[in-house]
Amino acid sequence: MQVSPAAAGALVRVAPTAAFVLLWSSGALFARWGLAHASPFAFLVLRFVVALAFLGLLALAGHRLRPQPGSAGRVACSGLLLAGAYPACYFLALDRGLTPGVLATVLGVQPLLTLALTERPLAGRRIAGLLVALTGLALVVFDSLVQSRFHPLGLGFALAALGAMTWGTLQQKRLDQPPLAVMPLQLAMGLVVCLCLLPFEAVRVDWNWQLAVTVAWLGIPISVAGTLLLYQLLARGNVVDVTSLFYLVPAGTALLDALVFGHVLAPLALAGMAAIVGGLVMVFRRV
């Protein structure tokens, strides 16, 4: 069966987006599995060590893994936000009693916040699409929302994670450098943050093959390949459009959970997925 040049071109354009969503959707499942065998910041430290070791191998193979002269400060700042503050606040929000559904819904405000900060005039269609997608996200995580506990400190960390991800994404968009050139310094900043927080938790590490698999998956396919795809999408596209793709991640996680572990998708979750897709169509449509 022959594929037309137009279809092949469309596939090439869509492939990075699909790969990004698939990788990030799998991250939640592997993180849940890994956290059964290690405390949060110990797990993150291991993840960053594996990612940096892999980037070290790429450096030995001849890849340039240094930011442009004079930009190290800005690269470190974006890394502090995206690789340090964001995951730290994410785990602290969960540790302080916020359910994953509430946390996902709070973080779902990011595309709306990014739209308000970056686009003038504000397009009503794009705002409406983001609100529809956010409603769909709430339906996907409805069970978790129903069981929610709104601990003030947990909500504070969730809002801090939202701010770090939003500001960090905007900073990353302005860097205009090859992703591999900035990632080692950024991941090193994440490692420093987690090492600083490690003494404040009860460290637990169960050394077994399950931990090794989850750390390897989150360290290389997610932290390196997934981040590379995210940075490439940010470099080529509109920052609101790219951040809107995060609405697909909880839906992708639910689908993978159903396919891999056989968990039945609730009708509300299916309706939420449809709303997310419909909302994103409104966001991306350029008419």
Side-chain angles (χ1 to χ4, degrees):
M1 178 180 175
Q2 289 188 338
V3 179
S4 68
L11 184 62
V12 169
R13 290 192 298 271
V14 171
T17 302
F20 165 73
V21 172
L22 181 62
L23 280 173
W24 281 66
S25 297
S26 72
L29 296 177
F30 278 89
R32 189 189 313 164
W33 190 17
L35 288 172
H37 302 284
S39 53
F41 291 112
F43 185 76
L44 284 173
V45 166
L46 292 172
R47 171 185 174 176
F48 284 128
V49 167
V50 168
L52 286 167
F54 181 77
L55 289 174
L57 293 177
L58 293 182
L60 291 175
H63 293 274
R64 185 181 184 279
L65 302 182
R66 296 187 305 277
Q68 295 171 358
S71 67
R74 290 182 290 119
V75 171
C77 179
S78 66
L80 187 64
L81 292 166
L82 290 174
Y86 169 68
C89 291
Y90 185 100
F91 279 111
L92 286 170
L94 293 175
D95 187 56
R96 296 306 186 275
L98 225 62
T99 63
V102 173
L103 183 53
T105 306
V106 171
L107 296 176
V109 177
Q110 185 197 352
L112 284 163
L113 183 58
T114 305
L115 180 69
L117 291 172
T118 61
E119 294 193 9
R120 294 292 185 277
L122 293 175
R125 170 185 49 77
R126 283 165 69 77
I127 295 174
L130 291 173
L131 289 173
V132 169
L134 182 58
T135 302
L137 171 63
L139 293 176
V140 170
V141 298
F142 181 76
D143 288 342
S144 183
L145 288 176
V146 170
Q147 302 166 15
S148 62
R149 299 184 301 276
F150 288 92
H151 192 287
L153 190 56
L155 189 58
F157 280 124
L159 292 173
L162 171 64
M165 189 63 173
T166 304
W167 187 17
T169 302
L170 294 175
Q171 293 296 316
Q172 179 63 34
K173 175 68 175 177
R174 298 188 184 105
L175 285 179
D176 192 24
Q177 296 189 48
L180 276 177
V182 301
M183 281 179 58
L185 178 55
Q186 292 178 330
L187 291 176
M189 295 302 297
L191 177 59
V192 167
V193 170
C194 291
L195 286 172
C196 290
L197 292 170
L198 197 59
F200 297 97
E201 75 170 6
V203 177
R204 174 181 58 88
V205 180
D206 302 327
W207 299 105
N208 51 45
W209 69 267
Q210 294 98 325
L211 179 65
V213 168
T214 54
V215 167
W217 183 262
L218 288 169
I220 300 173
I222 304 296
S223 293
V224 178
T227 303
L228 276 173
L229 288 168
L230 173 62
Y231 286 0
Q232 287 173 352
L233 291 170
L234 280 172
R236 297 173 185 172
N238 177 282
V239 67
V240 175
D241 292 348
V242 175
T243 55
S244 299
L245 295 174
F246 283 102
Y247 285 128
L248 294 170
V249 172
T253 301
L255 283 173
L256 288 174
D257 202 18
L259 291 171
V260 177
F261 298 106
H263 295 158
V264 178
L265 287 170
L268 271 180
L270 293 171
M273 292 176 192
I276 289 171
V277 173
L280 293 183
V281 168
M282 296 171 66
V283 171
F284 286 113
R285 192 158 49 91
R286 296 299 180 190
V287 187

